[in-house]
Amino acid sequence: MTMAETMAKAEEMLRPGRMLIGDQWVAEGSAGEYVHINPSTGKAHPPIPIGGAQEIDQAVNAARAAQPAWWGMPRDARRDTLLRLAALLREHAEELATLTVLDNGSPYILALSGPLAAADYFTYYAGWVDKVGGQVIPTWPAPALDYTLQEPYGVVGVIIPWNVPMHNVGQVIGAALAAGNAVLFKPPELAPFTVLRFGELVLEAGIPPGIVNIVPGGPESGKALVSHPGVDKIHFIGSGATARHIMASAAETLKPVTLELGGKSANLVFADADLQAAAAHAAYRAMGNAGQGCILPTRLFVEDSIYDQFVGMVVGITQSMKVGNPFEEGVMVGPVIDTRACERILGVIERAKSEGAGTLLTGGGRIGGDLKGGYFIEPTIFGDVDHSSDIAQNEIFGPVLSVFRFKDEAEAVALANDTSYGLAGYIQTNDLRRAHRVAAALEAGSIGVNGAGVQIGAPMGGVKQSGFGTMGGRYGLEDFMRPKNIYIPLT
Ligand code: NAD
């Protein structure tokens, strides 16, 4: 089948877009509608309504009305409801993955990992519901009982980007609901279809109406959500530029915010590493999802003595990657999200070329031919990059890898830390002592040694301008709870 045929078949699954407010599916939004474009073909999808201040207000009211009963529900019942949702996510994983491909052009294999991960997150967080509690605090000098309760915030506003919607749903909404909150979820208009189907499964699982409200939209909807006095906390995943607006707006109502932001993660390859495995990791991880991932290793640092050999291997693997129809088996690189992103990324590449920021080793252009309708960019690598240049310092969020050389461990660590970001870091070495030393020295929230993987029970969060607060594991659950202290004198 051609890409047009595969896409047309998948698009039969699309339904008219709606918003979920309480138990109502709302077909019209006060902020108008948005015509979503399939990034693989450039073809328009049915319009979706965009929520404005009016729908945000209605959704806040629905959430506030529903939350006390959700928090008051017997814990085994809340646990079992979340487990039912996990089972539905597993059952509908292929359908959700297909919608994700239509939403954002992710290669199907990656799109499928989203609902499966979300199912695992919901299962994991359901398991905490009847286990998480407070503490008894040692007291002095007089006898007393002092203990804490872990309470939910109430109504949590969740704003996510478009690149891995179901991973974010599992990480954030799974934890927020397990902690006893209601959620007002604002997915971006750029990827609405998967999460709206998720909303249907939420109700089918028996989660009470109003506990999850879904209002797709852009910046205006997001602003209305952040400034609403009925929202108790914001969990934001997106860019640092937007995060600055969010913090400023949240300051007006003194709302706590968790910020999960971008990265420019360093991948340090030492001469003693397993070079074949390290080269595959360097190429596939950097270009996966067309480079549109927050934790991707987009700065590659290679020890001088192996630089030419190793970079040649990475370029070779990159050139062999299948780019194209995200539904086609073996395709690892799909399109970028939209025409604006495509032009922006091509502009970054052109400027790097004209300013001599590095040597173009492969790629560098838009892909035409059968793919010309979509937003496909060749996987691109620049070698010997100037570390002060734009492609070294700023997140590109496209299939562009910048390579640097280093002389020794100290220089590698200094260069890796010479960035305003601090989301992830990667180390390729067979020297155990070095692995631990460098892992401790890197300024980043997560480190991968000779590989990478996001564990459900592990915390994920940034340092420096990659944000603050945590998703994943017990840390991610506690991010949605606050302790209340109770003191009783016993004399
Ligand atoms: P973005 O900041 O443009 O948008 C993110 C979300 O914020 C969208 O839903 C958008 O509609 C909303 N928004 C925009 N302006 C707003 C405003 N003024 N007030 C409230 N909401 C507003 O980011 P993007 O381009 O959609 O996503 C890419 C960014 O997300 C990258 O920087 C990437 O690294 C980051 N990201 C981080 C993580 C993480 O876990 N740290 C995960 C995925 C993506």
Side-chain angles (χ1 to χ4, degrees):
M1 273 205 277
T2 64
M3 174 142 76
E5 286 163 350
T6 353
M7 287 292 164
K9 187 158 174 3
E11 280 161 348
E12 287 170 11
M13 212 181 258
L14 294 177
R15 301 166 207 185
R18 294 165 303 162
M19 287 173 269
L20 176 60
I21 300 178
D23 61 355
Q24 300 295 309
W25 285 99
V26 179
E28 280 182 23
S30 61
E33 58 179 31
Y34 177 79
V35 177
H36 181 268
I37 303 292
N38 184 331
S40 304
T41 59
K43 188 173 165 262
H45 285 150
I48 54 151
I50 295 296
Q54 185 183 320
E55 291 77 23
I56 293 290
D57 191 51
Q58 289 165 354
V60 171
N61 290 337
R64 295 213 78 82
Q67 190 269 336
W70 177 244
W71 172 232
M73 183 186 274
R75 286 184 184 236
D76 56 343
R78 183 150 41 100
R79 176 199 65 202
D80 292 348
T81 311
L82 294 175
L83 288 174
R84 276 200 299 279
L85 179 55
L88 284 170
L89 290 170
R90 253 179 227 113
E91 193 184 313
H92 293 272
E94 292 184 0
E95 178 192 349
L96 290 160
T98 301
L99 290 171
T100 301
V101 175
L102 298 178
D103 268 333
N104 65 11
S106 289
Y108 183 79
I109 188 166
L110 178 70
L112 184 61
S113 73
L116 294 175
D120 286 345
Y121 275 108
F122 275 94
T123 307
Y124 173 85
Y125 280 120
W128 273 116
V129 172
D130 61 353
K131 296 175 191 69
V132 70
Q135 292 179 31
V136 175
I137 309 291
T139 57
W140 57 275
L145 174 63
D146 193 303
Y147 65 96
T148 63
L149 298 176
Q150 288 283 76
E151 295 191 338
Y153 279 87
V155 175
V156 176
V158 175
I159 300 176
I160 66 162
W162 42 265
N163 61 325
V164 282
M166 288 308 293
H167 285 91
N168 291 160
V169 160
Q171 287 167 315
V172 180
I173 298 185
L177 296 188
N181 299 282
V183 167
L184 202 177
F185 178 29
K186 192 211 78 63
E189 74 285 42
L190 290 171
F193 298 115
T194 317
V195 293
L196 289 172
R197 180 70 183 116
F198 162 75
E200 292 176 350
L201 299 177
V202 163
L203 295 181
E204 193 179 328
I207 291 183
I211 292 302
V212 176
N213 305 275
I214 307 181
V215 180
E220 292 312 313
S221 329
K223 281 183 201 163
L225 169 54
V226 176
S227 61
H228 199 294
V231 175
D232 300 298
K233 175 183 165 68
I234 296 293
H235 191 111
F236 172 74
I237 307 180
S239 65
T242 305
R244 286 179 176 79
H245 293 295
I246 288 184
M247 269 191 93
S249 169
E252 295 295 318
T253 43
L254 291 177
K255 263 186 204 82
V257 293
T258 290
L259 302 177
E260 308 283 357
L261 311 178
K264 190 82 183 171
S265 301
N267 182 12
L268 276 46
V269 182
F270 291 91
D272 64 55
D274 172 344
L275 296 189
Q276 201 59 51
H281 173 275
Y284 284 112
R285 288 274 165 178
M287 301 302 173
N289 212 22
Q292 302 168 114
C294 54
I295 53 169
L296 304 186
T298 50
R299 287 185 302 148
L300 174 62
F301 295 89
V302 185
E303 192 161 356
D304 227 352
S305 59
I306 54 159
Y307 184 93
D308 291 338
Q309 177 200 358
F310 185 76
V311 174
M313 290 161 75
V314 175
V315 169
I317 294 169
T318 302
Q319 287 170 341
S320 72
M321 279 180 198
K322 225 165 149 181
V323 184
N325 179 358
F327 284 116
E328 198 179 311
E329 212 180 316
V331 165
M332 295 302 295
V333 183
V336 298
I337 184 69
D338 64 359
T339 183
R340 218 169 55 137
C342 190
E343 281 163 20
R344 180 186 56 76
I345 296 162
L346 291 170
V348 169
I349 294 172
E350 279 314 310
R351 266 196 311 283
K353 284 200 267 187
S354 65
E355 290 170 5
T359 312
L360 181 66
L361 300 177
T362 186
R366 185 166 178 174
I367 303 179
D370 292 350
L371 299 179
K372 70 173 183 303
Y375 311 119
F376 292 87
I377 296 177
E378 291 172 317
T380 299
I381 302 180
F382 285 95
D384 282 311
V385 172
D386 169 359
H387 204 257
S388 63
S389 67
D390 177 41
I391 57 168
Q393 291 296 329
N394 296 312
E395 186 182 43
I396 301 171
F397 227 56
V400 184
L401 174 64
S402 301
V403 190
F404 314 82
R405 56 175 93 218
F406 66 83
K407 281 192 287 302
D408 57 23
E409 186 181 308
E411 189 188 25
V413 169
L415 284 170
N417 287 340
D418 179 25
T419 167
S420 57
Y421 296 102
L423 197 54
Y426 303 90
I427 306 160
Q428 319 299 328
T429 180
N430 278 319
D431 179 336
L432 191 61
R433 289 191 181 87
R434 168 181 281 153
H436 290 292
R437 211 166 44 228
V438 176
L442 288 180
E443 295 166 358
S446 303
I447 306 293
V449 179
N450 297 333
V454 177
Q455 290 298 306
I456 285 180
M460 176 180 168
V463 301
K464 303 202 294 197
Q465 292 192 20
S466 290
F468 46 79
T470 310
M471 299 190 287
R474 181 165 180 163
Y475 297 95
L477 181 72
E478 289 180 349
D479 213 64
F480 286 108
M481 307 181 96
R482 45 187 168 198
K484 175 191 276 179
N485 194 70
I486 295 155
Y487 172 80
I488 311 171
L490 297 180
T491 54

